[in-house]
């Protein structure tokens, strides 16, 4: 089992910045991907950014160039730095960790979610 605790988030004006952090505990050695998802009202949860073993990153097109995901393996934490925030970024953001079950399937672990609200 993996436990995730998020911190950060809040209310910011458009153009501002926020930082989200996720701290993992438990079977952290089994985590193969560390990421962030978000869910806006009335919309499905979507991937925002992910960093996998080896350091490769992937971002949603809507956040490329504005958001940066990074990790500290020694502390079992990862961070999402969000710049140039837009009202469309308003959502509940969820920390995510994946542990492999098979070569093609993974188990997902989720943080409790943190609200990010961007005012225009």
């Amino acid at each position: 089992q993996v436990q995730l605790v998020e911190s950060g988030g809040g209310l910011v004006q458009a153009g501002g910045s926020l930082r989200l952090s996720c701290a993992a505990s438990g079977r952290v050695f089994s985590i193969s991907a560390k990421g962030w998802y978000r869910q806006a009202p009335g919309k499905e949860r979507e991937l925002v950014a992910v960093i996998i073993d080896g350091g490769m990153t992937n971002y949603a097109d809507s956040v490329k160039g504005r958001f940066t995901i990074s990790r500290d393996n020694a502390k079992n934490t990862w961070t999402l730095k969000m710049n140039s925030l837009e009202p469309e970024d308003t959502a509940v953001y969820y920390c995510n960790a994946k542990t492999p079950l098979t070569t093609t399937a993974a188990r997902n672990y989720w943080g409790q979610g943190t609200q990010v609200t961007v005012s225009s």
Side-chain angles (χ1 to χ4, degrees), residues 42-84:
K43 295 187 177 181
E44 294 186 353
R45 190 173 297 188
E46 64 174 357
L47 173 69
V48 177
V50 63
I51 185 166
I52 62 175
D53 288 349
M56 183 178 295
T57 58
N58 190 37
Y59 296 91
D61 287 343
S62 59
V63 307
K64 283 181 180 176
R66 300 188 297 122
F67 291 12
T68 302
I69 188 170
S70 60
R71 65 185 179 181
D72 185 332
N73 288 335
K75 296 181 179 179
N76 297 315
T77 60
W78 54 100
T79 298
L80 184 68
K81 184 64 166 65
M82 304 183 291
N83 296 325
S84 302

